[in-house]
Amino acid sequence: MGLETVLFDMDGVLYDSMPNHAVAWQQAMAQFDIVMTAEDAYATEGARGVDTIREMVWAQQHLTISTDEAMRMYQKKAEIFHSMPQAVIFDGVFDLMQLFKDNGCAIGIVTGSAQRPLIARMLDDFADFVDESRVVTAYDVERGKPAPDPYLMGMKKCGCTDAKRCLVVENAPLGVEAAVVAGCRTMAVNTGPLADDILAEKGAERVFKTLRELYDFWVQSS
């Protein structure tokens, strides 16, 4: 297989959570007179929430706000998100992780999320494959996706020193860009409304519609 580490994004890869995130973003930002569309939510997915907020406030209101101010706004988005139905785990995720684990790969999760309840749920749901020592969140890096820092940190936490032996599974343009800049092999799963071409143009090696499709491809090509 040639791999020693596989890093998964969380929202839109492990969980079918992006529709809820998009609604929460729109409703929360409207409370601060910021217009955010569903397309904006998908296009900025993977970045740290506070970074997205600061950029949108600057773009629309020409104000520079602090990280603490952005975090207070982000907490409003988190409150709305957690009032919504719990997102389901995508079909194929466990089989794919088991496939890589059986082939000796370390499994890690790299997310731009700063929502501790989501992170806690993830650690519980995927306890057979990861623990906190191999999870990267918004709290672990100063620069979020599309900077390579989250995936470089993911490799470090998993003990991987050769990016060419690290595979990243992503669904977001910024995440794909971050993984590619980090030097990792990158497969995209397009679980949102964006065109496949957008993910391919960011450098994804292949673009799949589902995790199950990626699993079948890996089994057949191994």
Side-chain angles (χ1 to χ4, degrees), residues 25 28-29 32 34 48-58 61 63-78 114-115:
W25 271 118
M29 292 304 99
F32 299 96
I34 297 294
R48 299 194 313 167
V50 292
D51 294 335
T52 296
I53 290 170
R54 295 184 73 186
E55 289 172 8
M56 296 202 76
V57 169
W58 172 252
Q61 299 179 349
L63 297 174
T64 299
I65 63 173
S66 68
T67 298
D68 287 343
E69 289 175 296
M71 181 57 77
R72 284 193 289 273
M73 295 169 69
Y74 181 75
Q75 289 303 323
K76 177 56 66 176
K77 180 259 178 179
Q115 296 188 38

Side-chain angles (χ1 to χ4, degrees), residues 57-203:
V57 169
W58 172 252
Q60 295 186 30
Q61 299 179 349
H62 304 294
L63 297 174
T64 299
I65 63 173
S66 68
T67 298
D68 287 343
E69 289 175 296
M71 181 57 77
R72 284 193 289 273
M73 295 169 69
Y74 181 75
Q75 289 303 323
K76 177 56 66 176
K77 180 259 178 179
E79 289 173 13
I80 295 172
F81 178 84
H82 289 296
S83 72
M84 303 174 78
Q86 192 174 66
V88 300
I89 297 172
F90 277 116
D91 173 59
V93 172
F94 290 119
D95 290 340
L96 190 60
M97 284 189 173
Q98 191 65 56
L99 175 67
F100 290 129
K101 183 178 179 180
D102 288 346
N103 280 275
C105 295
I107 307 296
I109 297 173
V110 177
T111 175
S113 178
Q115 296 188 38
R116 296 191 189 278
L118 287 182
I119 297 165
R121 180 196 172 189
M122 176 188 67
L123 287 167
D124 183 60
D125 287 340
F126 298 96
D128 289 343
F129 302 98
V130 297
D131 58 32
E132 196 166 5
S133 69
R134 285 188 276 123
V135 171
V136 177
T137 72
Y139 299 105
D140 292 301
V141 293
E142 292 187 5
R143 298 193 307 165
K145 304 168 187 176
D149 305 31
Y151 283 112
L152 293 173
M153 179 63 73
M155 285 190 289
K156 181 179 179 180
K157 286 194 172 193
C158 289
C160 180
T161 58
D162 183 358
K164 294 179 181 178
R165 293 174 65 84
C166 178
L167 173 70
V168 168
V169 182
E170 260 285 356
N171 73 303
L174 297 185
V176 170
E177 183 178 347
V180 170
V181 174
C184 304
R185 290 188 64 185
T186 307
M187 299 288 188
V189 181
N190 190 4
T191 57
L194 303 178
D196 288 355
D197 289 348
I198 294 175
L199 296 167
E201 288 167 3
K202 290 294 185 180

